[in-house]
Amino acid sequence: MSERKLDVIMIKKLKIVIPCSEANHVCDKSQYKESSFNEKIKLYIHLMYCGACRDYSSTNTRLSSIILKSKVTCIDKKYKDSMKNLFEKAMNNSDFK
Amino acid sequence: MPNQLLNPNKWIDLYADYLFNFTISRVNDKEVAQDLVQETFLAALKSMNNFKGEASERTWLISILKRKIIDYYRKINSNKGQAEVRIKYNNDFETEGDWLEEHVADPYDKTAEDIIQNTELGEAILNCLSKLPEKHAEVFRMKTIEGMETEEICKELNITASNLWVIIHRARTAMASCLKENWM
């Protein structure tokens, strides 16, 4: 068996090469620091030869950084729920149907 | 331009976070901001008949909120003494006798500009978020802005983890293309 064939078998067995869909999934997980070390290695190998995923990855990283930079926040869930209750009561008391 | 219609059932889900971020950048107090948003919704409900349909729902709510913010500042400054600007002379031995101008903010300091830019950016992010399908926006907000754990979101919304990641992927793609023109 030639060396090249052996390499292909090794790559397939270790699943080093991942499809674009999986690469995107790992990239999304990485934005939330939820990807494992193995997944990151596979992603970097994929990014070496896939331009489309490189674009997606850089856009994704930029999106994360601008969200972080904006310091955008949300209302506390508890407060929002109590606000909804109060608002519903007010709606029922008003003429709004 | 067609007349806009009001749909108060959706107000809190659609606009509460947008109004909250608008307020917090102006009053700098989380609890006060939450109260002002709540007061805005209640005031809007009362004055629904005054809505002419010329502006969008959100613009109309913002105009009410601006009034509420002004009222808030009037209220806290109602005592004359609080409205005055008080400059404390520096009693520090080393800096005694220094010019007052040295205490004034540096006009070339970028901090103020950065704050304004970040406020606008926050508004742009929430604007884009409101354009997403409801479920996508909710998952994206919980995961990205509130920083909730995957398991927690899945439990709350009764979805599987793989379902969550598909939604996150679609939401991120949509958000990126929405913000691309001006911010990325």
Side-chain angles (χ1 to χ4, degrees):
Chain A
M1 201 179 287
S2 70
E3 239 176 64
R4 192 177 160 75
K5 267 190 177 175
L6 264 174
D7 284 350
V8 171
I9 289 168
M10 280 284 281
I11 285 170
K12 276 186 179 170
K13 274 203 167 176
L14 292 172
K15 288 182 183 168
I16 289 172
V17 176
I18 53 172
C20 291
S21 58
E22 202 179 327
N24 287 344
H25 174 55
V26 176
C27 179
D28 290 333
K29 274 168 66 174
S30 299
Q31 304 309 313
Y32 304 96
K33 298 188 171 63
E34 287 186 27
S35 57
S36 67
F37 180 71
N38 277 350
E39 284 176 326
K40 274 184 203 161
I41 298 285
K42 286 174 190 173
L43 172 65
Y44 290 133
I45 292 171
H46 185 93
L47 293 183
M48 281 195 290
Y49 62 83
C50 181
C53 287
R54 262 202 307 276
D55 285 349
Y56 178 73
S57 180
S58 74
T59 310
N60 219 0
T61 313
R62 253 180 292 154
L63 179 67
S64 294
S65 73
I66 64 161
I67 289 172
L68 196 72
K69 191 183 153 200
S70 73
K71 290 177 185 160
V72 69
T73 53
C74 290
I75 297 181
D76 283 342
K77 207 182 171 303
K78 276 184 191 168
Y79 194 92
K80 205 182 238 180
D81 289 342
S82 75
M83 195 193 281
K84 274 183 187 173
N85 283 336
L86 191 77
F87 192 68
E88 266 170 33
K89 275 181 197 166
M91 275 209 307
N92 291 334
N93 291 337
S94 73
D95 294 334
F96 177 76
K97 293 274 186 278
Chain B
M1 186 181 160
N3 273 10
Q4 303 283 329
L5 294 172
L6 293 176
N7 185 8
N9 292 310
K10 298 258 175 190
W11 280 355
I12 294 180
D13 286 328
L14 288 176
Y15 309 119
D17 289 324
Y18 184 86
L19 298 188
F20 177 65
N21 276 275
F22 182 91
T23 319
I24 208 160
S25 60
R26 285 156 179 88
V27 299
N28 222 357
D29 185 316
K30 201 177 171 188
E31 281 171 22
V32 172
Q34 285 178 344
D35 289 343
L36 287 173
V37 171
Q38 180 168 289
E39 282 173 30
T40 302
F41 284 131
L42 294 174
L45 192 67
K46 275 184 193 166
S47 54
M48 271 176 66
N49 294 335
N50 299 337
F51 181 68
K52 291 172 191 163
E54 286 165 359
S56 73
E57 220 173 25
R58 199 181 67 183
T59 312
W60 182 65
L61 288 170
I62 286 283
S63 69
I64 298 171
L65 177 62
K66 280 180 183 169
R67 292 273 154 209
K68 291 278 167 199
I69 295 171
I70 293 167
D71 285 348
Y72 163 73
Y73 277 111
R74 275 198 191 128
K75 207 170 155 187
I76 61 166
N77 284 329
S78 58
N79 294 332
K80 199 188 163 195
Q82 284 175 324
E84 288 171 3
V85 178
R86 293 176 182 178
I87 299 169
K88 279 186 183 171
Y89 288 97
N90 206 335
N91 293 326
D92 187 6
F93 180 75
E94 282 180 21
T95 52
E96 202 178 355
D98 276 359
W99 292 103
L100 260 181
E101 281 84 342
E102 286 176 12
H103 297 288
V104 176
D106 178 3
Y108 300 104
D109 187 3
K110 287 274 167 66
T111 324
E113 199 180 310
D114 279 353
I115 291 169
I116 293 168
Q117 207 174 29
N118 286 350
T119 309
E120 285 175 0
L121 176 58
E123 283 167 15
I125 289 169
L126 290 168
N127 196 12
C128 288
L129 196 62
S130 69
K131 288 176 189 164
L132 298 185
E134 214 172 299
K135 185 103 177 174
H136 291 197
E138 193 178 15
V139 173
F140 183 83
R141 200 192 63 240
M142 288 166 106
K143 185 82 186 137
T144 317
I145 301 173
E146 291 178 35
M148 283 169 73
E149 294 292 328
T150 306
E151 277 178 26
E152 215 178 327
I153 301 170
C154 290
K155 218 174 169 183
E156 198 162 307
L157 302 177
N158 204 14
I159 53 173
T160 62
S162 57
N163 203 339
L164 176 135
W165 286 112
V166 170
I167 293 173
I168 287 286
H169 177 72
R170 288 182 186 161
R172 290 190 77 89
T173 312
M175 287 295 287
S177 70
C178 177
L179 291 164
K180 207 168 192 174
E181 229 168 76
N182 295 320
W183 297 98
M184 286 175 70

